[in-house]
Every structure is written in structure tokens, then in C-alpha cells.
Amino acid sequence: MSDLSLSHALCDMRKAQRLVVAFNQRMLPIIECIASELNANFYYWQSLYNKNSCRGATNPVKKRKWDFSPLHNASFLYLSDNAPSEHEVSPDSYLLAFHLITDTAIDDAFIKENKPWNPIDITEPAEESRSLLRIYIYQPSEVKKQKEGWWKLYANNPWPECNGEIMSLEQGGTAMGVEVDIAELVTQDEINKLIERVKDRFECQGYYKNNKG
């Protein structure tokens, strides 16, 4: 690589780093806003394909480099404000799961290969990829008290389809999902329209209304 090419690449890196932080500053409050409008409070978050950044005493050279980019594919869980506790599931309450996919090509690559591959090897151009937010709602069919009660309801099932269909849960209960292209969430008015669409979709299938008021 020539000095000029390296200079351009480093400039792109600096621009990308600033854009990533700006995106996080924009996207995370949107997720929080949607959850708040659906009467839900933060419960847990995780990077889906990576571990979180290592501790100070851990040599970062020995870690997967993707672990330093945890929000490229992450989930954020919220419990309805009438949920008894994180250990007690109830049919009168629900769990919201937000799946943030910043790049569908990266998501596809992790699913297919499941290894710390080189991002330069991604064949799909960024211009042809998409950035998505998927919003799922989980509602149990009976009261259960157990450690990690809501977590088991979420983690031990595949993602619901975002096509309006209801998925039955092995633990008892149902779930469904809604998908939006993040490119549509430019203004607050568009965000408000999404919130209303999510509410209408969930209410139409019998969710969320149990916690209104």
C-alpha cells in the first residue's frame, strides 16, 4: 500500500469512527423511546455474535477484533412496567426485544460462517446491504417463577418472523415481530409513525393492550 493509499484509508477510518459514534448516539435513544411508549423498562442488552470489549488487564491482541464493535449486531431487552420481576413471567406482562442489525451483510456472514473472518472479504457492497431494527414482543401464557424466567422465554426460542404471524413458544406463550429499515427513521415524525405502527400491530394480535393505562 502506498503512502497516499494509506493516508486515504486512515482518513476513511477516522470518518467511519465518528459516524459510528454518531449512529449510536442517534439509534439508542430511538430504541429507548419506542420502549418507553410501549410502557417497558430496560432489562438487559448483549452483543449477539461478539463478546463485549475485554477488561484492562486482558491483552486485546488475543481477542477477536470484532469484540471491539459490539453494537453492529445487538439485542436490547425491555420488560413491561407491570412485570412482577425479571424472574417471574406473567401473562399480563411482556418482554420487548430490539434486534439492531447495522449491516445485513455482516449479519448474513456471521450466520453462515460463525468465525472471525476478515471484513474486507465481505462480498456484498455496503450500498446493497441494509440497516434494520426488528422489534419483538414475547408474552407468556401462565405465571412462572424461576431464575432467568424472562431470559429463558427469549433466549431459548428462534427469532419470530417479522411478517405478522404469531410464533408459539416452547415454554408456553407466543411472540411476534415487526421490522423497519433504519433509513426510514430520519425525523421524529417518522419515529412516531413507527411507534404507532408497532402499537397497532401488537394490539391487533392481542399484545400490549394488557398494559395500557
Side-chain angles (χ1 to χ4, degrees):
M1 179 181 288
S2 68
D3 291 345
L4 183 60
S5 296
L6 177 58
S7 179
H8 286 164
L10 290 173
C11 182
D12 288 340
M13 181 275 296
R14 292 191 294 269
K15 291 178 181 178
Q17 192 167 27
R18 298 177 191 187
L19 286 172
V20 167
V21 175
F23 173 79
N24 293 343
Q25 290 176 331
R26 171 67 174 166
M27 198 67 229
L28 295 181
I30 290 176
I31 293 174
E32 185 81 7
C33 176
I34 297 171
S36 177
E37 289 295 324
L38 290 169
N39 301 328
N41 303 306
F42 178 77
Y43 165 42
Y44 192 86
W45 87 276
Q46 65 170 348
S47 179
L48 292 173
Y49 299 133
N50 306 319
K51 297 179 181 179
N52 293 338
S53 300
C54 60
R55 296 181 178 181
T58 301
N59 186 349
V61 174
K62 298 181 180 180
K63 298 289 291 185
R64 281 178 35 149
K65 305 312 174 281
W66 280 102
D67 292 349
F68 296 91
S69 181
L71 289 188
H72 77 81
N73 200 308
S75 67
F76 305 84
L77 308 183
Y78 290 75
L79 293 180
S80 59
D81 56 18
N82 66 343
S85 77
E86 62 187 62
H87 305 299
E88 180 178 348
V89 301
S90 167
D92 292 329
S93 49
Y94 49 84
L95 177 144
L96 294 177
F98 295 83
H99 183 189
L100 177 62
I101 305 171
T102 58
D103 187 334
T104 52
I106 293 178
D107 186 58
D108 292 342
F110 266 103
I111 292 173
K112 292 176 182 178
E113 300 184 33
N114 192 28
K115 63 181 182 180
W117 38 263
N118 190 336
I120 304 300
D121 295 337
I122 298 176
T123 57
E124 183 178 351
E127 293 80 4
E128 297 178 12
S129 186
R130 301 171 66 200
S131 299
L132 303 174
L133 179 64
R134 292 172 178 159
I135 308 170
Y136 305 98
I137 189 167
Y138 294 77
Q139 193 166 43
S141 57
E142 58 183 305
V143 174
K144 288 184 179 179
K145 293 183 179 181
Q146 57 186 1
K147 185 178 180 181
E148 300 179 341
W150 286 101
W151 178 256
K152 288 184 178 180
L153 198 68
Y154 154 79
N156 292 355
N157 293 282
W159 293 111
E161 296 292 335
C162 293
N163 56 8
E165 295 185 2
I166 303 297
M167 181 182 78
S168 297
L169 306 176
E170 291 185 4
Q171 297 82 1
T174 57
M176 67 172 294
V178 175
E179 178 182 284
V180 62
D181 195 310
I182 295 174
E184 300 175 10
L185 305 179
V186 178
T187 67
Q188 186 59 48
D189 183 58
E190 290 168 328
I191 295 170
N192 293 338
K193 289 180 180 178
L194 170 63
I195 292 171
E196 291 306 313
R197 178 160 70 89
V198 171
K199 284 183 178 180
D200 290 343
R201 182 73 62 85
F202 288 169
E203 287 184 2
C204 182
Q205 297 293 351
Y207 299 97
Y208 170 66
K209 63 183 181 181
N210 292 320
N211 195 35
K212 291 177 66 176

